[in-house]
Amino acid sequence: MRLKFTKMHGLGNDFVMVDAITQRVKLSPEKIRALGDRHTGIGCDQILVVEAPRNPDMDFRYRIYNADGSEVENCGNGARCFARFVRDRRLTSKDSILVETAAGILQLNVQDRDQVSVDMGAPILEPQEIPFDADIQAETYPLDVGGEVYNVGAVSMGNPHAVLLVEDVDTAPVDALGAAIECHPRFPQKVNVGFLQIEDRTRARLRVFERGVGETRACGTGACAAMVSARLRDLVDEELQIQLPGGTLTIHWPGPGEPVTMTGPATAVYHGQIVL
């Protein structure tokens, strides 16, 4: 199979974008892993497959796969790249795009200077829906990891996130602790782990250990979850600039029951084709 693709990134979180509307695409987990391999394939954090919508009121549907072959529900940086991809490939001329995902419907708004704003929907805080093993909903939960207890926020932005407050993200044990929490039995579908440093009520820094990927340069849903967790603790205002290793995202959230809006860049790197 000869597959046309576009390599893109959102703040360094990189993607292989595949148009499954104008070409026939059949990707097994093995082929997804081959595409994602940084040594023998194209190399990426995730593969995004663009499909025709099932719902006639939607513009597109897309599916998201980690480089290890597993399918996931949502990806904020991927959503922004998706919006620019369908515009750049002339699959649509709309500035406002409605998309079906495994996590529900997203509204994407293409702005100037490669900026895309995404309505990520309202965060899910009920433990059973995240999913997270807890009896009642709370701002934070004690989590025993190897005999040491950490207070974490638990939020779903269509995919599960644990958020830890740290004094300094540069010295936080992201790899070791992130891997331990990712597979914690209280998160039955595993979890993305955010390490959040609050600078003031409008600025923060974040590193994210992504489920099935490891630490990435940016995580859009992770930034949204971090904002929600911090705001529930009354640590930040309703608009927050979050600096990730790859750059800065602007996150806006008025409060419970309201949607989270994320704004940031999406960049095309190159187009190509590969034989699988």
Side-chain angles (χ1 to χ4, degrees):
M1 178 173 66
R2 186 178 296 274
L3 187 69
K4 295 180 180 179
F5 69 90
T6 297
K7 181 70 181 288
M8 299 188 73
H9 76 89
L11 300 182
N13 187 190
D14 62 336
F15 307 93
V16 171
M17 314 293 298
V18 177
D19 170 10
I21 295 176
T22 64
Q23 63 181 339
R24 294 184 63 184
V25 175
K26 187 175 182 180
L27 293 177
S28 64
E30 291 76 20
K31 288 179 179 177
I32 290 168
R33 287 193 288 271
L35 286 173
D37 192 295
R38 296 189 183 277
H39 299 287
T40 59
I42 302 166
C44 63
D45 292 320
Q46 292 170 321
I47 293 93
L48 271 60
V49 180
V50 181
E51 301 177 347
R54 295 175 176 175
N55 183 338
D57 294 329
M58 298 294 105
D59 297 306
F60 297 97
R61 175 175 182 256
Y62 78 75
R63 303 179 73 176
I64 311 162
Y65 299 92
N66 284 334
D68 66 359
S70 59
E71 186 169 2
V72 295
E73 305 90 344
N74 201 1
C75 174
N77 290 319
R80 299 198 315 277
C81 287
F82 169 89
R84 293 225 63 91
F85 176 76
V86 295
R87 284 283 302 268
D88 293 348
R89 303 307 290 173
R90 298 182 179 178
L91 298 174
T92 184
S93 60
K94 293 182 177 181
D95 292 327
S96 183
I97 304 166
L98 290 174
V99 188
E100 294 176 75
T101 75
I105 296 170
L106 294 181
Q107 181 173 340
L108 317 176
N109 297 295
V110 180
Q111 303 174 358
D112 294 333
R113 301 182 302 278
D114 291 336
Q115 294 286 307
V116 178
S117 179
V118 184
D119 180 340
M120 300 293 290
I124 297 169
L125 303 173
E126 176 61 37
Q128 290 184 345
E129 297 180 23
I130 292 173
F132 175 64
D133 181 14
D135 293 331
I136 59 173
Q137 181 180 323
E139 292 178 2
T140 62
Y141 305 87
L143 192 71
D144 189 319
V145 183
E148 188 163 353
V149 177
Y150 299 87
N151 286 320
V152 303
V155 179
S156 173
M157 292 302 309
N159 54 354
H161 290 267
V163 181
L164 292 81
L165 292 182
V166 297
E167 292 186 3
D168 186 351
V169 290
D170 292 330
T171 59
V174 173
D175 288 338
L177 186 55
I181 295 176
E182 176 197 14
C183 300
H184 197 283
R186 291 182 69 187
F187 290 97
Q189 294 180 9
K190 298 187 178 182
V191 70
N192 304 285
V193 188
F195 296 78
L196 178 66
Q197 175 187 341
I198 303 291
E199 296 188 317
D200 57 40
R201 293 192 66 87
T202 63
R203 297 180 304 142
R205 300 177 65 201
L206 179 70
R207 291 170 66 186
V208 180
F209 188 97
E210 279 199 38
R211 176 183 57 167
V213 177
E215 185 178 3
T216 59
R217 290 182 56 78
C219 177
T221 56
C224 293
M227 162 57 142
V228 170
S229 184
R231 189 145 170 75
L232 288 174
R233 306 181 214 189
D234 194 26
L235 298 174
V236 298
D237 295 336
E238 66 179 56
E239 185 161 292
L240 185 64
Q241 302 288 321
I242 298 186
Q243 180 186 341
L244 298 115
T248 300
L249 292 172
T250 301
I251 312 296
H252 183 269
W253 187 53
E258 298 295 324
V260 182
T261 303
M262 172 190 60
T263 303
T267 305
V269 182
Y270 63 87
H271 308 291
Q273 53 184 324
I274 187 171
V275 176
L276 293 177

